[in-house]
Amino acid sequence: MGLEDRDAVRVLHAALDPHSTGSAELIRRLYTRWFAIDPDVRDLFPPELHHQRAAFGQAMHWVFGEFVAQRAQAPVSFLAQLGRDHRKYGVTTHHYGTLRDAWYTTMRTHLIDDWTTAVDDAATQAINLIIGIMSGAADAEDGPPWWDGTVLEHHRVSRDLAVVRLHLDRPMPYHPGQYVNVQIPQWPRRWRYLSPAMPADPDGYIEFHVRSVLGGMVSNAIVSECRPGDRWRLSSPHGAMEVDRDGGDVLMVAGSTGLAPLRSIIMDLSRFGDNPRVHLFFGARYPCELYDLRTLWEIAATSPWLSVSPVSEYPADPPWAADYPDVQPPRGLHVRQTGRLPEVVTKYGGWGDRQILICGGAAMVHATRDALIAKGAPPDRIQHDPLSG
């Protein structure tokens, strides 16, 4: 029966459960076996593989969960995008073939006590389907596997925040609100997701807002070490966060550099004379970290449909704020409020009649989403990037 046998697929799904003790070991052995039978593929990945293995395990656990539920559309779309995106690593048809062999053998060895004929059929069909979709989508894609660009400007706007502007060798088409995978020269083969902070530009200009995170090698290098002239590499865009201009008024909640994709959407909306009302809550720890208030003030000054509410967790700036540019714009925006974003946003109600977009760190996204739902906002009206929450 193969994939039609839900009990057999459940065995495979459980083996990939990231909360189980054996899943991490299964994925580790899979990569070890793959590199053993195809040594060249090791050079496509960064030296440390913890995050790569964890991301692969979580993604495949979700895919097999969709197989258990007998849903095909979402995993097919996801796997096709994954295949197209993996072109940036230099993955070839040959590599997909060796991955198939390593994956099947590792699963069979790992599940030896539960490996029945039905599980064998399900594993064979699932692995062939996953590899086939990814490889086929990569082969069918006629666009470039990556875009290279040169850093033109690097502005340290706060202690751990930077605005970086680049010029791409060729323009990248993307929708406002999408995100891309970025590789920088300081850390080759280590990719980090960033959201463009402006709509796609026909001349190839692009802007990113980056906050360094504890232990984040790439983000810390971008904030502290990036210089004009650096050459970056960008993958194809992902994500589907958007505003439906005919879908009613909008609530946007941005934490720190989570502002970038929402700013891109707002800048795109400013092309139109008639828009739904947009209320943006832009939050940070300190007032000095509300780094892009002047741009938001400039847009709001000529866009009566846009309201901006600054929010900071602390009422005053720390001493080190004097080392960085003053971010306060002229009068015109709402008075800055103090508190955590979820509490500040929901004290005005559940916003259940709005399209809701939330961007920022995972903890903030989860907390804000949960607080809005508790206030009555329909979950299906809330959008956020899958990487954010």
Side-chain angles (χ1 to χ4, degrees):
M1 294 178 64
L3 288 175
E4 296 179 3
D5 188 332
R6 293 193 180 191
D7 289 337
V9 179
R10 284 191 184 97
V11 173
L12 304 172
H13 181 234
L16 292 164
D17 185 350
H19 300 293
S20 70
T21 56
S23 175
E25 177 62 16
L26 168 63
I27 301 301
R28 188 194 67 79
R29 290 168 58 193
L30 164 58
Y31 275 82
T32 299
R33 188 181 298 271
W34 189 20
F35 298 157
I37 65 177
D38 191 354
D40 291 342
V41 80
R42 182 63 183 89
D43 292 335
L44 304 181
F45 294 93
E48 72 290 328
L49 286 169
H50 173 74
H51 293 296
Q52 171 70 30
R53 291 194 299 249
F56 178 80
Q58 290 170 356
M60 292 305 107
H61 182 252
W62 175 81
V63 168
F64 275 89
E66 294 295 289
F67 289 165
V68 170
Q70 301 288 290
R71 292 189 292 259
Q73 183 175 354
V76 167
S77 298
F78 170 77
L79 291 167
Q81 180 59 54
L82 200 62
R84 288 189 290 268
D85 189 52
H86 270 59
R87 295 180 306 145
K88 71 178 184 287
Y89 296 116
V91 176
T92 66
T93 302
H94 168 75
H95 296 138
Y96 280 115
T98 55
L99 172 59
R100 177 192 291 109
D101 297 340
W103 195 354
Y104 172 82
T105 304
T106 304
M107 288 289 282
R108 181 171 183 171
T109 303
H110 183 78
L111 292 171
I112 187 65
D113 294 333
D114 299 308
W115 196 263
T116 64
T117 300
V119 173
D120 185 284
D121 289 344
T124 300
Q125 286 192 19
I127 293 171
N128 285 342
L129 179 63
I130 291 168
I131 297 297
I133 293 172
M134 292 179 64
S135 178
D139 289 342
E141 181 62 41
D142 55 5
W146 58 73
W147 284 258
D148 289 330
T150 302
V151 173
L152 300 180
E153 301 176 46
H154 177 275
H155 301 283
R156 188 81 172 265
V157 294
S158 189
R159 184 170 63 173
D160 56 1
L161 296 168
V163 172
V164 184
R165 300 186 178 107
L166 299 92
H167 183 250
L168 302 179
D169 295 349
R170 54 178 170 239
M172 171 190 283
Y174 60 87
H175 300 295
Q178 288 192 299
Y179 53 92
V180 299
N181 227 350
V182 173
Q183 177 185 246
I184 63 173
Q186 289 83 359
W187 290 105
R189 294 183 289 152
R190 292 173 174 87
W191 296 80
R192 186 182 189 275
Y193 285 109
L194 297 176
S195 294
M198 57 182 281
D201 180 76
D203 294 320
Y205 293 98
I206 194 167
E207 177 177 315
F208 296 105
H209 300 170
V210 184
R211 179 176 182 173
S212 61
V213 297
L214 184 64
M217 295 179 292
V218 175
S219 65
N220 278 282
I222 291 175
V223 172
S224 303
E225 303 172 24
C226 176
R227 297 292 181 269
D230 284 357
R231 295 283 289 171
W232 286 21
R233 176 161 290 180
L234 282 58
S235 76
S236 55
H238 301 262
M241 190 163 54
E242 62 180 356
V243 165
D244 179 357
R245 293 182 57 245
D246 298 318
D249 293 339
V250 182
L251 168 68
M252 295 182 175
V253 184
S256 188
T257 53
L259 174 67
L262 302 183
R263 177 188 192 263
S264 180
I265 293 173
I266 289 170
M267 293 176 73
D268 186 63
L269 288 173
S270 66
R271 298 185 297 121
F272 303 96
D274 184 24
N275 282 312
R277 290 182 301 163
V278 176
H279 196 118
L280 167 68
F281 287 88
F282 175 32
R285 293 171 301 180
Y286 300 103
C288 65
E289 293 180 320
L290 296 167
Y291 63 93
D292 209 35
L293 282 181
R294 183 170 293 273
T295 301
L296 297 173
W297 172 82
E298 292 173 351
I299 298 174
T302 57
S303 305
W305 46 268
L306 176 64
S307 299
V308 179
S309 292
V311 181
S312 65
E313 292 187 28
Y314 301 100
D317 285 330
W320 51 258
D323 296 333
Y324 299 96
D326 180 13
V327 302
Q328 298 305 313
R331 292 181 181 272
L333 294 177
H334 288 279
V335 175
R336 179 177 53 81
Q337 302 177 66
T338 303
R340 296 177 64 250
L341 271 173
E343 286 76 20
V344 172
V345 172
T346 54
K347 76 179 182 181
Y348 297 99
W351 304 85
D353 60 337
R354 307 292 179 105
Q355 303 177 67
I356 301 173
L357 285 70
I358 311 173
C359 294
M364 185 282 289
V365 170
H366 279 300
T368 304
R369 184 179 187 275
D370 291 346
L372 286 166
I373 292 173
K375 283 281 190 174
D380 60 359
R381 297 276 286 176
I382 300 175
Q383 302 178 55
H384 58 82
D385 285 339
L387 299 170
S388 298

